Coordinates of all heavy atoms in Angstrom, one line a residue:
D31 N 5.4 64.4 -42.3 CA 4.4 65.4 -42.1 C 3.0 65.0 -42.1 O 2.6 64.1 -42.9 CB 4.5 66.4 -43.2 CG 3.7 67.7 -42.8 OD1 4.0 68.5 -41.9 OD2 2.6 67.9 -43.4
A32 N 2.2 65.3 -41.0 CA 0.8 64.8 -40.8 C -0.1 65.0 -41.9 O -0.9 64.2 -42.3 CB 0.2 65.3 -39.4
V33 N 0.1 66.1 -42.5 CA -0.9 66.6 -43.7 C -0.6 65.7 -44.9 O -1.4 65.2 -45.6 CB -0.5 68.1 -44.1 CG1 -1.5 68.5 -45.2 CG2 -0.9 69.0 -42.9
E34 N 0.8 65.5 -45.1 CA 1.0 64.6 -46.3 C 0.5 63.1 -46.1 O 0.1 62.5 -46.9 CB 2.5 64.6 -46.6 CG 3.1 65.9 -46.9 CD 2.6 66.2 -48.4 OE1 2.2 65.5 -49.2 OE2 2.5 67.5 -48.6
E35 N 0.7 62.7 -44.7 CA 0.3 61.4 -44.4 C -1.2 61.2 -44.6 O -1.8 60.1 -45.1 CB 0.6 61.1 -42.9 CG 0.3 59.7 -42.5 CD 1.2 58.7 -43.2 OE1 2.2 59.0 -43.6 OE2 0.8 57.4 -43.2
S36 N -1.9 62.3 -44.2 CA -3.4 62.2 -44.2 C -4.0 62.3 -45.8 O -4.9 61.6 -46.0 CB -4.1 63.4 -43.6 OG -3.7 64.6 -43.9
R37 N -3.2 62.9 -46.6 CA -3.6 62.9 -48.0 C -3.3 61.7 -48.7 O -4.0 61.1 -49.5 CB -2.6 64.1 -48.6 CG -3.1 65.5 -48.4 CD -2.2 66.5 -48.9 NE -2.6 67.9 -48.6 CZ -2.0 68.9 -49.0 NH1 -0.8 68.9 -49.7 NH2 -2.4 70.1 -48.6
K38 N -2.2 61.0 -48.2 CA -1.8 59.7 -48.8 C -2.7 58.6 -48.3 O -2.9 57.5 -49.0 CB -0.3 59.4 -48.7 CG 0.6 60.3 -49.3 CD 2.0 60.0 -49.0 CE 3.0 61.1 -49.7 NZ 4.5 60.7 -49.5
A39 N -3.2 58.6 -47.0 CA -3.9 57.6 -46.5 C -5.2 57.5 -47.2 O -5.9 58.4 -47.6 CB -4.3 57.8 -44.9
P40 N -5.8 56.1 -47.4 CA -7.1 56.0 -48.0 C -8.2 56.5 -47.1 O -8.2 56.5 -45.8 CB -7.1 54.5 -48.0 CG -6.2 53.9 -47.1 CD -5.2 54.9 -47.0
Q41 N -9.2 57.0 -47.7 CA -10.4 57.6 -47.0 C -11.2 56.5 -46.3 O -11.6 55.4 -47.0 CB -11.2 58.4 -48.0 CG -10.6 59.6 -48.5 CD -10.1 60.7 -47.4 OE1 -11.0 60.7 -46.5 NE2 -9.1 61.4 -47.5
R42 N -11.5 56.6 -45.1 CA -12.2 55.5 -44.4 C -13.7 56.1 -44.2 O -13.9 57.3 -44.0 CB -11.8 55.4 -42.9 CG -10.4 54.7 -43.0 CD -9.9 54.4 -41.7 NE -8.4 53.8 -41.6 CZ -7.9 53.5 -40.5 NH1 -8.4 53.8 -39.4 NH2 -6.6 52.9 -40.6
P43 N -14.8 55.1 -44.2 CA -16.2 55.6 -44.1 C -16.3 56.1 -42.7 O -15.6 55.8 -41.8 CB -17.0 54.4 -44.3 CG -16.0 53.2 -44.0 CD -14.5 53.7 -44.5
P44 N -17.4 56.8 -42.4 CA -17.7 57.4 -41.1 C -18.1 56.2 -40.3 O -18.5 55.2 -40.6 CB -19.0 58.2 -41.4 CG -19.0 58.5 -42.8 CD -18.4 57.4 -43.5
P45 N -17.6 56.3 -38.9 CA -17.9 55.2 -37.9 C -19.2 54.8 -37.8 O -19.5 53.7 -37.4 CB -17.2 55.8 -36.7 CG -17.3 57.3 -36.8 CD -17.1 57.5 -38.3
G46 N -20.1 55.7 -38.1 CA -21.6 55.3 -37.8 C -22.1 54.4 -38.8 O -23.2 53.8 -38.6
D47 N -21.6 54.3 -40.0 CA -22.0 53.5 -41.1 C -21.0 52.5 -41.6 O -20.1 53.1 -42.2 CB -22.8 54.3 -42.1 CG -23.6 53.4 -43.0 OD1 -23.3 52.3 -43.0 OD2 -24.3 54.1 -43.9
S48 N -21.0 51.2 -41.3 CA -19.9 50.3 -41.9 C -19.9 50.1 -43.3 O -19.0 49.6 -43.8 CB -20.1 49.1 -41.1 OG -21.2 48.4 -41.3
R49 N -21.0 50.4 -43.9 CA -21.1 50.2 -45.3 C -20.7 51.4 -46.1 O -20.7 51.5 -47.4 CB -22.6 49.9 -45.8 CG -23.2 48.7 -45.2 CD -24.7 48.6 -45.3 NE -25.4 49.7 -44.6 CZ -26.7 50.0 -44.8 NH1 -27.5 49.2 -45.6 NH2 -27.3 50.9 -44.1
G50 N -20.1 52.5 -45.5 CA -19.7 53.6 -46.2 C -20.7 54.6 -46.6 O -20.3 55.7 -47.2
G51 N -21.9 54.4 -46.3 CA -23.1 55.5 -46.6 C -23.1 56.4 -45.5 O -22.5 56.4 -44.6
R52 N -24.2 57.3 -45.7 CA -24.5 58.2 -44.7 C -25.2 57.5 -43.5 O -25.9 56.4 -43.7 CB -25.5 59.2 -45.3 CG -24.6 60.2 -46.3 CD -25.6 61.2 -46.9 NE -24.8 62.1 -47.7 CZ -25.4 63.2 -48.1 NH1 -26.8 63.4 -47.9 NH2 -24.7 64.0 -48.9
G53 N -25.2 58.1 -42.4 CA -26.0 57.5 -41.2 C -27.5 57.8 -41.6 O -27.9 58.6 -42.4
R54 N -28.4 57.0 -40.6 CA -29.7 56.9 -41.0 C -30.4 58.4 -40.4 O -29.9 58.8 -39.4 CB -30.5 55.9 -40.1 CG -30.3 54.4 -40.5 CD -30.8 53.6 -39.8 NE -30.7 52.1 -40.2 CZ -31.2 51.1 -39.7 NH1 -31.9 51.2 -38.7 NH2 -30.8 49.8 -40.2

Side-chain angles (χ1 to χ4, degrees):
D31 187 76
V33 177
E34 295 295 331
E35 183 71 20
S36 62
R37 289 177 180 176
K38 295 179 180 179
Q41 296 295 327
R42 297 181 179 178
D47 192 350
S48 60
R49 297 171 297 178
R52 293 184 177 181
R54 293 183 178 179

